[in-house]
């Protein structure tokens, strides 16, 4: 039988030696250990760690489901100063097996708001803005521009594409995550020159996207409710990698290696993992990056379409048009009855009942636009009334020349106390 005490002594000597080595090779540790212990003192022992950088950072988390819960928990523990969380849904009992931030009593409450409250509870240093809404229609581009990095905890390609295009437009990196049973993937997309999410889509992805687009225009919620089995264990692995990548991106000045343009694939059955490097597709349609963004002191609720078109013409001449970035439905047409009815509604707010023909009950075709030429009959409506979300960016265009106008007066309303 080995002499325990002797073994322990040896171990202590070895450890002490290693510690000395560590202290010698990383002298900053010596300085830090003199500081009083606080919430972040163990993090500050990491030589490249910059807690002030994290405290001044803003991170958007899209989706507060299994991945979003873990991401938000990690951001709270790390003391990331400003968090913007978006989710459309309410808490259900079935979320409780994979969502550390939710309790039984939260059933029926908006996920974004409950998650925000729990983040504040975990760490009062973190300011959180919750938005119950849809990422593709309710979050202005100014919000994307105001954050340092976007992290996705999503379960559908449509929302990923929306985030991807928004991030490219305002030049902000985003970190995608996906989980299914015990498998998962985390990947990092960095504009303007890296491969983007759409560059990674296969022909199968496109087929699924188009299939859903063609039949889901009016009952998106039904189409998005496809349930994928997920576990809290795999979600914590993938969300851990996503948050770690966010921390590294926020420490960009330290030159740390990241998963930029790459995907980390994890097989939870075997615990094998591998990293793939994506290629940028030069014909990919999602690589628009806004060059000239001007902050205008106006908001969507009190700016008319005519007024915004005026900004475009002042900047680019009388032939300029205004691009809204979102579709506005201008009419519905019944092919069976050969009848056309004018309506004016943002596509996102059109219901199935609006689109059914009142005479024959068939689904009617939609006429839509996102370009304003100046002859429209709705020029005196406000941008909000045609579906432009608060703190969005609208675009003036004349030929290839473009100027982008951020509705900066909405900043406080959109960002709340992380403004
Ligand atoms: Zn691309
Ligand atoms: Zn009809």
């Amino acid at each position: 039988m080995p002499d325990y005490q002797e073994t322990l002594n040896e171990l202590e000597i070895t450890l002490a030696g290693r510690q000395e080595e560590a202290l010698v090779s990383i002298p900053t540790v010596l300085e830090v250990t003199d500081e009083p212990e606080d919430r972040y003192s163990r993090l500050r022992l990491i030589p490249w760690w910059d807690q002030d950088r994290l405290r001044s950072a803003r991170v958007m988390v899209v989706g507060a489901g299994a991945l979003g819960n873990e991401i938000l928990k990690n951001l709270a523990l790390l003391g990331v100063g400003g968090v913007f969380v978006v989710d459309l849904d309410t808490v259900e009992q079935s979320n409780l097996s994979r969502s550390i931030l939710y309790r039984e009593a939260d059933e029926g409450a908006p996920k974004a708001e409950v998650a925000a409250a729990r983040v504040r509870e975990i760490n009062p240093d973190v300011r959180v803005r919750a938005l119950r809404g849809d990422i593709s229609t309710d979050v202005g581009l100014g919000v994307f521009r105001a954050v340092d990095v976007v992290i996705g905890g999503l379960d559908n390609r449509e929302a990923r594409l929306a985030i991807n295009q928004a991030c490219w437009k305002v030049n902000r990196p985003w970190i995608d995550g996906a989980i299914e049973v015990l498998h998962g993937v985390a990947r990092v997309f960095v504009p303007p020159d890296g491969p983007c999410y759409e560059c990674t889509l296969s022909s199968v992805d496109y087929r699924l996207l188009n299939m859903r687009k063609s039949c889901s225009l009016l009952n998106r919620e039904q189409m998005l409710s496809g349930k994928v089995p997920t576990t809290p264990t795999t979600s914590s692995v993938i969300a851990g990698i996503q948050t770690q990548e966010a921390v590294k991106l926020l420490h960009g000045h330290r030159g740390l290696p990241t998963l930029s343009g790459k995907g980390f694939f994890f097989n939870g059955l075997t615990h094998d993992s591998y990293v793939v490097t994506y290629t940028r597709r030069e014909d990919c349609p999602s690589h628009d990056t806004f060059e000239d963004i001007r902050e205008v002191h106006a908001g969507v609720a009190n700016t008319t379409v005519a007024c915004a078109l005026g900004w475009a013409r002042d900047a680019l001449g009388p032939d300029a048009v205004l691009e809204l970035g979102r579709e506005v439905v201008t009419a519905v047409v019944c092919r069976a009855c050969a009848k056309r009815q004018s309506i004016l509604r943002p596509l996102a707010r059109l219901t199935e009942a609006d689109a059914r023909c009142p005479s024959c009950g068939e689904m009617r075709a939609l006429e839509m636009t996102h370009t304003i030429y100046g002859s429209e009959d709705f020029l005196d409506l406000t941008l909000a009334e045609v579906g432009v979300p608060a703190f969005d960016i609208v675009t003036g265009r004349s030929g290839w020349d473009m100027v982008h106008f951020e509705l900066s007066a909405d900043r406080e309303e959109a960002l709340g106390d992380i403004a």
Side-chain angles (χ1 to χ4, degrees):
M1 200 174 152
D3 185 331
Y4 249 133
Q5 196 51 49
E6 208 168 284
T7 315
L8 272 179
N9 286 347
E10 266 173 39
L11 194 64
E12 258 172 48
I13 291 162
T14 318
L15 281 176
R18 291 220 180 120
Q19 215 165 354
E20 251 166 56
E21 257 172 55
L23 292 178
V24 171
S25 61
I26 310 161
T28 47
V29 173
L30 271 175
E31 295 156 31
V32 174
T33 46
D34 291 338
E35 277 186 21
E37 290 264 307
D38 66 14
R39 186 188 272 268
Y40 308 108
S41 50
R42 298 298 166 89
L43 296 174
R44 277 197 297 263
L45 292 177
I46 300 167
W48 49 265
W49 198 266
D50 186 345
Q51 193 63 46
D52 291 338
R53 181 69 198 89
L54 294 186
R55 184 180 305 134
S56 62
R58 289 193 201 97
V59 175
M60 170 158 29
V61 178
V62 187
L67 283 172
N69 264 253
E70 290 291 323
I71 294 162
L72 288 162
K73 174 212 74 183
N74 290 336
L75 295 175
L77 294 174
L78 293 168
V80 168
V83 173
F84 190 97
V85 52
V86 195
D87 195 291
L88 191 57
D89 295 328
T90 54
V91 178
E92 294 170 23
Q93 292 296 314
S94 65
N95 302 137
L96 298 177
S97 59
R98 290 153 353 279
S99 307
I100 185 69
L101 304 175
Y102 304 145
R103 310 286 176 262
E104 274 185 26
D106 299 325
E107 187 172 4
K111 282 183 180 176
E113 279 164 34
V114 178
R118 296 284 139 71
V119 165
R120 290 184 202 107
E121 222 173 88
I122 293 171
N123 188 348
D125 292 349
V126 181
R127 289 161 293 124
V128 199
R129 170 70 164 167
L131 179 79
R132 183 182 183 185
D134 182 327
I135 190 65
S136 52
T137 53
D138 301 327
V139 181
L141 279 176
V143 178
F144 284 85
R145 187 165 172 256
V147 301
D148 299 287
V149 53
V150 177
I151 312 181
L154 297 155
D155 59 3
N156 68 86
R157 293 177 186 80
E158 287 83 355
R160 288 189 176 97
L161 272 179
I163 292 179
N164 185 62
Q165 287 172 3
C167 282
W168 237 260
K169 283 175 182 166
V170 298
N171 202 3
R172 292 294 179 273
W174 82 281
I175 304 169
D176 183 33
I179 48 173
E180 186 163 351
V181 196
L182 299 186
H183 298 342
V185 54
R187 35 201 194 171
V188 180
F189 301 107
V190 182
D193 300 322
C196 82
Y197 169 70
E198 184 157 4
C199 292
T200 73
L201 293 185
S202 64
S203 50
V204 176
D205 291 311
Y206 275 114
R207 200 158 53 230
L208 288 169
L209 271 166
N210 286 332
M211 202 169 73
R212 284 159 63 124
K213 213 187 225 170
S214 62
C215 59
S216 73
L217 203 56
L218 304 164
N219 53 0
R220 251 160 304 198
E221 282 201 31
Q222 262 169 284
M223 297 300 295
L224 295 180
S225 68
K227 292 181 175 65
V228 173
T230 59
T231 59
T233 43
T234 298
S235 76
S236 78
V237 171
I238 296 302
I241 302 273
Q242 288 182 276
T243 316
Q244 197 144 289
E245 286 300 308
V247 167
K248 288 190 278 170
L249 288 175
L250 292 173
H251 285 82
H253 57 298
R254 303 286 202 217
L256 303 165
T258 69
L259 277 177
S260 172
K262 297 176 187 165
F264 166 87
F265 286 75
F266 172 70
N267 177 339
L269 274 178
T270 57
H271 290 172
D272 285 327
S273 68
Y274 59 96
V275 171
V276 299
T277 302
Y278 295 114
T279 323
R280 181 179 164 100
R281 263 180 35 211
E282 288 312 326
D283 64 339
C284 171
S286 285
H287 296 173
D288 263 359
T289 302
F290 292 175
E291 307 264 327
D292 183 357
I293 300 176
R294 301 182 190 176
E295 297 175 6
V296 183
H297 193 77
V300 292
N302 47 29
T303 300
T304 61
V305 175
C307 171
L309 179 62
W311 302 338
R313 295 196 165 160
D314 286 346
L316 295 166
D319 296 330
V321 296
L322 181 73
E323 305 275 12
L324 294 175
R326 284 170 179 78
E327 296 295 330
V328 182
V329 179
T330 52
V332 281
V333 183
C334 181
R335 293 197 181 110
C337 308
K339 261 190 218 154
R340 181 179 183 280
Q341 181 198 341
S342 296
I343 59 167
L344 191 90
R345 195 154 315 164
L347 178 59
R349 276 181 234 147
L350 200 82
T351 64
E352 189 177 332
D354 295 325
R356 289 225 179 263
C357 175
S359 316
C360 71
E362 283 296 300
M363 288 300 270
R364 293 180 286 184
L366 309 178
E367 285 180 8
M368 294 182 278
T369 185
H370 58 264
T371 306
I372 307 297
Y373 297 91
S375 56
E376 290 76 8
D377 55 7
F378 54 87
L379 292 177
D380 50 358
L381 292 185
T382 65
L383 292 177
E385 285 169 322
V386 296
V388 178
F391 203 26
D392 203 17
I393 296 175
V394 292
T395 294
R397 182 172 59 79
S398 174
W400 291 103
D401 294 333
M402 281 190 265
V403 179
H404 310 279
F405 304 97
E406 182 187 79
L407 289 124
S408 303
D410 292 335
R411 187 182 178 88
E412 304 264 315
E413 184 198 327
L415 295 179
D417 60 0
I418 70 163

